[in-house]
Amino acid sequence: MAVIGQDIKQAIRLLEANEVIGLPTETVYGLAGNAFNAEAVTKIFEVKNRPTFDPLIVHTSSIERISDFVREIPEKAQLLAKKFMPGPLTLLLPKKENISDLVTSGLETVAVRIPNHPLALELLQNLDFPLAAPSANPFGYISPTSAQHVDNQLGTKIKYILDGGECKVGIESSIIGFIGDEIIVYRKGGLAIEVIEQVVGKIKIQEHSSSNPQAPGMLKSHYAPRTQLVILNSQFSTGGIPLINSQFSIGFLGFREFHPNIPRENQLILSPTGDFREAAKNLFAYMRALDVRGFEIIYTEILPEIDLGRAINDRIRRAATLEN
Ligand code: TXA
Ligand code: MG
């Protein structure tokens, strides 16, 4: 297993030796390596078992430092950066030569993010290169929101995980790109679309598709847990699950309320007060907690399509193997 600790010097030593480490951020934990170094970037893909057509996000510590590896920042991107960075926002910007095709999977844009986490920022400030970091989960599984999650899944493959506690946002960053005058959301994430639109006006939502090369990594089953996860229609979630057969062991991941027809000890509720932020923070941790219980099936439900509910629903839909 990896060493889990808060030793920034150790993290720096490993990163400078082109090793990869577990990195805390406010969204989810990352698997970080020197973005300017091919050996480190190659290791990231290997450890994660990630296909090389799926590009990485590059993390830095300040807006000024973005220009180290980005050619230009469009006006609207600057507005968003000033308002929301550091924060759960990733901007797609034209890359400089020092970002290799390996990082961007051959795209001309690089994904850029400033994580809003004190330990991550301190680390980045003390490095003279930015960090490429995808979420620190094996490809196809849900993202980790604690150092322990990272260790459980990648602990045999990496030496060190910087422990920054539980992630406060809990879902990945919102990814925004700029094509001409258009502003496009490629991934709904920890920054709500409504909040982004307050700053730059209407934005376009690019639907996810595994065949769309403009949004690589948006594979439909991207966030799947191991146990079969089934979305209930609201008619069922209010009226009880029809045909529940007691020979099945059933779990339930609910938004606000317990399901009346399932044993309470088999249920986790994302936010009893209906708070989207709390729900996002708990989402992946609760999916994991239910996943290891060995249920035959886990039922879940869709949240209202507003605010962070949209990003949460996106994760739930990807994780679900079929809709009921
Ligand atoms: O919150 C986050 O964004 C976390 C933390 C660790 O920062 N990172 C994260 O990385 O979620 P990852 O690799 O799991 O997801 C990055 C997504 C991928 O779906 C990838 O396809 C997309 O960003 N992406 C990266 N560069 C891109 C580009 N130039 N154009 C379009 N999509 C890009
Ligand atoms: Mg990921």
Side-chain angles (χ1 to χ4, degrees):
M1 292 287 104
V3 175
I4 300 177
Q6 299 192 318
D7 186 350
I8 294 229
K9 291 213 176 82
Q10 172 70 352
I12 293 171
R13 268 194 298 276
L14 288 165
L15 290 166
E16 286 178 345
N18 300 324
E19 295 288 340
V20 297
I21 66 160
L23 174 78
T25 85
E26 82 281 29
T27 57
V28 300
Y29 273 71
L31 180 68
N34 180 350
F36 291 158
N37 181 273
E39 185 190 340
V41 174
T42 303
K43 273 184 198 158
I44 294 174
F45 282 98
E46 280 170 7
V47 168
K48 224 188 119 92
N49 201 13
R50 178 177 177 120
T52 50
F53 60 74
D54 194 3
L56 306 177
I57 296 176
V58 175
H59 299 67
T60 190
S61 57
S62 70
I63 295 177
E64 293 69 46
R65 288 185 75 179
I66 292 177
S67 307
D68 292 352
F69 55 94
V70 158
R71 270 192 284 118
E72 55 166 325
I73 310 181
E75 203 182 313
K76 293 213 164 134
Q78 287 184 37
L79 268 176
L80 290 174
K82 281 192 190 121
K83 186 92 183 167
F84 301 117
M85 288 183 163
L89 172 69
T90 293
L91 299 177
L92 302 178
L93 301 169
K95 78 177 188 77
K96 278 188 179 166
E97 293 279 303
N98 54 4
I99 296 291
S100 70
D101 282 347
L102 205 54
V103 173
T104 65
S105 304
L107 296 171
E108 276 309 301
T109 54
V110 58
V112 182
R113 181 163 121 71
I114 305 176
N116 189 15
H117 189 290
L119 218 49
L121 286 172
E122 191 185 337
L123 176 66
L124 287 161
Q125 278 155 10
N126 284 288
L127 294 169
D128 50 20
F129 48 82
L131 291 176
S135 51
N137 48 288
F139 186 71
Y141 197 73
I142 45 181
S143 298
T145 54
S146 74
Q148 193 56 55
H149 293 163
V150 181
D151 196 34
N152 292 348
Q153 292 185 308
L154 299 178
T156 57
K157 298 181 173 175
I158 58 177
K159 290 184 184 139
Y160 197 72
I161 302 165
L162 198 56
D163 188 358
E166 282 177 22
C167 300
K168 293 212 162 75
V169 173
I171 52 176
E172 303 87 347
S173 60
S174 302
I175 301 182
I176 307 287
F178 308 85
I179 294 183
D181 284 339
E182 239 172 18
I183 302 179
I184 300 160
V185 185
Y186 290 97
R187 179 174 70 186
K188 296 171 199 162
L191 190 64
I193 287 173
E194 292 89 333
V195 176
I196 299 171
E197 287 187 332
Q198 276 168 16
V199 177
V200 289
K202 200 80 194 137
I203 54 185
K204 189 177 150 191
I205 299 171
Q206 172 99 40
E207 288 307 326
H208 300 317
S209 139
S210 52
S211 59
N212 179 5
Q214 285 307 304
M218 296 295 156
L219 306 177
K220 200 138 193 268
S221 67
H222 208 74
Y223 299 87
R226 306 280 179 243
T227 316
Q228 187 182 30
L229 184 74
V230 176
I231 298 170
L232 294 173
N233 287 329
S234 52
Q235 78 187 88
F236 294 141
S237 49
T238 51
I241 300 174
L243 305 172
I244 276 199
N245 198 325
S246 56
Q247 81 223 28
F248 289 121
S249 64
I250 292 171
F252 182 67
L253 179 66
F255 175 38
R256 300 184 66 147
E257 286 167 22
F258 285 104
H259 196 287
N261 294 4
I262 297 172
R264 286 226 171 170
E265 65 271 19
N266 294 4
Q267 304 193 45
L268 287 172
I269 302 304
L270 291 169
S271 174
T273 60
D275 176 344
F276 289 116
R277 265 143 209 87
E278 183 182 29
K281 179 178 184 295
N282 289 331
L283 181 70
F284 289 147
Y286 284 9
M287 276 188 184
R288 279 172 191 267
L290 290 172
D291 199 18
V292 299
R293 291 277 300 276
F295 297 122
E296 269 143 296
I297 194 164
I298 300 167
Y299 285 109
T300 187
E301 61 185 350
I302 289 298
L303 279 62
E305 269 300 313
I306 51 162
D307 197 351
L308 291 188
R310 299 206 240 181
I312 295 169
N313 288 342
D314 177 77
R315 308 301 186 276
I316 290 175
R317 291 195 180 102
R318 279 162 204 279
T321 42
L322 55 116
E323 300 219 9
N324 184 339

